[in-house]
Amino acid sequence: MTNRFPALRTRQTEAGVISQIEPVAVDDLSAGDVVVKTRYAGVNYKDCLSIHGQAKIIASFPRIAGIELVGEVLESASPEFQRGQWVLVHGFQTGIAFDGGFAACARVPAAHVHALPEGLTPHEVAILGVPGFTAAMALERFEALGLTPSDGPVAISGAAGAVGLMAVALFARAGWPSAAITRRMEHAPTLQAVGAGEVIDAAVLQQPQRPLEKARFAAAIDNVGGPMLSWLLRSLQDGGCLASVGNAAGNTYEGSVLPFIMRRVQVFGIMANAPWEQRHRLWTRLASDLKPDFDRLLPHVRHIRLEQLMDHARQQLDGQTSGRVLVAFED
Ligand SMILES: NC(=O)c1ccc[n+]([C@@H]2O[C@H](COP(=O)([O-])OP(=O)(O)OC[C@H]3O[C@@H](n4cnc5c(N)ncnc54)[C@H](OP(=O)(O)O)[C@@H]3O)[C@@H](O)[C@H]2O)c1
């Protein structure tokens, strides 16, 4: 392919990290066997950090960020993929050490490409993307630890964000009662519409802190870190489990050992860059028993153009956005 197409390229300069839209050709992209016409690139918190140079995420410059994409194969040197096939790419350092989704075309190693799971449209796969996959990883781990919906509610922090919203939807689909925790109570009706049983104001953190809070959750998904993580640990019931997913409020937290030794609380971390076996299994589940009600999710999915991405990312880092955001490229 000789045509040039728009890409948001991130460079390291003496003045710092700069991202701008440039025309590029396929040969300018990092090496790969499969050329994909990008249809949707999910906008993740991590991408917002990397394109604004707010964290050291990109491994080498220049780089096209965007840790996930859904698109149609244009060319393939791999017998596993054919022209016209819809595919998904996420993880494997996409948008970090390999050029990613913030371009109208991507060139990707075949080993990073996932055929679209049966039972989901390309748009549905894009809506779920890394946030949905991450929430599914947490759910599967709770199941493996023996938790069931009858054990009690799952608390979900940063609930108005993409992972939070997907977690609310997926856990509702799996029959779990959930408590969505948000700093923005104006999102309470939205969260309830997507499946939250209860919505808790994150201002609960301003109340006097106790060594152990009322034991109210069987499980928790923390997208926020900091004082929220401490509060969730102190609010888990006996045998409760917490999935540490995100750090929107910071990387550190203060806590005591009491939740662990008085309530046998367990903590585990989630890293969405899962091995293939788990990817296949979870995408199959996302297309079947965990498939959320997309009609309820759609009002919270926003499409933006590549030209809007930098401004959007600034707002997302400032915690002013909500729901799932996709860069949509022309059909
Ligand atoms: N471990 C993994 O593999 C993995 C995968 C995906 C994402 N993540 C991480 O998970 C986190 C959430 O990702 P996302 O895609 O859902 O991001 P997002 O859409 O930007 O949502 C983040 C949410 O966190 C809350 N928040 C933001 N800034 C905050 C602050 N300063 N203090 C307290 N709460 C704040 C807000 O929710 P409310 O307004 O509702 O309070 C916001 O909507 C990020 O840290 C991301 O890097 C990790």
Side-chain angles (χ1 to χ4, degrees), residues 1 26 39 42 45 71 99 110 115 190 198 259 305:
M1 183 196 249
V26 167
R39 181 73 182 91
Y45 194 84
D99 287 323
T190 302
E198 169 189 13
R305 297 189 314 278

Side-chain angles (χ1 to χ4, degrees), residues 160-182:
V163 177
L165 187 76
M166 293 303 154
V168 168
L170 262 57
F171 278 78
R173 177 70 168 86
W176 283 74
S178 69
I181 307 173
T182 179

Side-chain angles (χ1 to χ4, degrees), residues 50-252:
S50 69
I51 62 180
H52 278 290
Q54 280 196 213
K56 201 173 172 334
I57 289 168
I58 290 177
S60 56
F61 296 93
R63 180 65 58 232
I64 297 167
I67 64 169
E68 56 168 308
L69 65 104
V70 170
E72 210 176 340
V73 173
L74 285 178
E75 291 170 22
S76 173
S78 159
E80 282 184 63
F81 300 101
Q82 285 78 44
R83 184 180 165 85
Q85 185 178 356
W86 282 89
V87 294
L88 158 73
V89 181
H90 69 89
F92 300 117
Q93 305 254 321
T94 303
I96 296 171
F98 297 87
D99 287 323
F102 296 154
C105 266
R107 182 165 66 176
V108 193
H112 301 181
V113 182
H114 198 309
L116 226 62
E118 271 180 45
L120 291 171
T121 66
H123 191 218
E124 289 170 344
V125 169
I127 291 170
L128 289 167
V130 168
F133 187 82
T134 302
M137 284 183 84
L139 193 152
E140 184 183 57
R141 188 76 178 268
F142 292 144
E143 290 173 344
L145 288 165
L147 293 177
T148 67
S150 61
D151 289 317
V154 55
I156 299 165
S157 66
V163 177
L165 187 76
M166 293 303 154
V168 168
L170 262 57
F171 278 78
R173 177 70 168 86
W176 283 74
S178 69
I181 307 173
T182 179
R183 300 164 307 162
R184 298 175 288 177
M185 286 303 279
E186 65 271 24
H187 289 292
T190 302
L191 291 165
Q192 276 162 333
V194 173
E198 169 189 13
V199 181
I200 297 174
D201 190 338
V204 70
L205 298 178
Q206 311 307 324
Q207 292 168 8
Q209 311 285 299
R210 293 187 290 180
L212 286 171
E213 309 289 343
K214 181 181 167 198
R216 54 203 290 191
F217 310 121
I221 296 184
D222 180 39
N223 295 308
V224 170
M228 176 59 72
L229 174 53
S230 294
W231 184 83
L232 287 169
L233 287 171
R234 299 198 307 276
S235 303
L236 284 169
Q237 63 197 37
D238 187 32
C241 301
L242 181 140
S244 173
V245 169
N247 53 358
N251 291 333
T252 58

